[in-house]
Amino acid sequence: MAVERNVLGGELEPCGTDPVTGFYRDGCCSTGPEDLGSHTVCAVVTADFLRHQRQVGNDLSTPRPEYSFPGLRPGDRWCVVAVRWLQSYDAGVAAPVVLACTHERALEVIPLEALRAHAVDVPADPRSLG
């Protein structure tokens, strides 16, 4: 299997395991042909981002056990759909992004400059991003 790359050209790093994220629920923003939504952006979700996504019909806060989805809280790291992240970016409420954990395929939808503008090192207490 080929090594998956991040938007910086390096090896894709894990995004999050609490909760376990990724289209394949492996902790990484890995992607493949069955990932039609392109869950490739490793975002550190904020209250504003979650509120905006709920307003546009993408409720990321409510648990959906049938999809192994725990529901997100501010500070959680989650592989979000690239077009959804871009939608929040255009609305001025983009979530911070961990570039080393964001799959290069996100660049098919989002300019690298937009991702870089929201790049973040995850703080010791990510819940402070609420």
Side-chain angles (χ1 to χ4, degrees), residues 44-54 61 72-75 93 95-96 127 129-130:
V44 183
V45 300
T46 63
D48 287 340
F49 175 82
L50 292 170
R51 191 169 21 261
H52 174 261
Q53 288 297 296
R54 186 172 44 253
S61 301
L72 302 178
R73 298 182 316 253
V93 292
R127 305 233 184 267
L129 295 168

Side-chain angles (χ1 to χ4, degrees), residues 1-2 4-5 12 22-26 28-41 79 103-106 108:
M1 185 169 158
E4 293 190 87
R5 298 277 170 209
L12 185 65
F23 179 78
Y24 300 108
R25 293 296 188 265
D26 60 0
C28 290
C29 296
S30 301
T31 190
E34 48 290 304
D35 179 14
L36 301 179
S38 188
H39 296 75
T40 52
V41 178
C79 296
H103 196 283
E104 66 183 351
R105 190 167 155 212
E108 295 173 7

Side-chain angles (χ1 to χ4, degrees), residues 3 6 14-15 24 36 38 59 68 78 86 103 107 114 119 122 125:
V3 173
N6 62 40
C15 179
Y24 300 108
L36 301 179
S38 188
D59 182 0
S68 300
W78 195 254
L86 185 60
H103 196 283
L107 297 175
V122 179
D125 180 9

Side-chain angles (χ1 to χ4, degrees), residues 36-129:
L36 301 179
S38 188
H39 296 75
T40 52
V41 178
C42 181
V44 183
V45 300
T46 63
D48 287 340
F49 175 82
L50 292 170
R51 191 169 21 261
H52 174 261
Q53 288 297 296
R54 186 172 44 253
Q55 289 171 348
V56 297
N58 185 31
D59 182 0
L60 297 173
S61 301
T62 302
R64 298 290 305 269
E66 66 272 27
Y67 299 114
S68 300
F69 181 70
L72 302 178
R73 298 182 316 253
D76 286 343
R77 290 171 63 153
W78 195 254
C79 296
V80 300
V81 171
V83 294
R84 291 294 192 171
W85 187 90
L86 185 60
Q87 184 180 40
S88 68
Y89 171 82
D90 289 339
V93 292
V97 175
V98 184
L99 297 177
C101 307
T102 296
H103 196 283
E104 66 183 351
R105 190 167 155 212
L107 297 175
E108 295 173 7
V109 176
I110 306 166
L112 181 57
E113 298 75 34
L115 293 169
R116 282 188 188 274
H118 292 279
V120 65
D121 286 330
V122 179
D125 180 9
R127 305 233 184 267
S128 67
L129 295 168

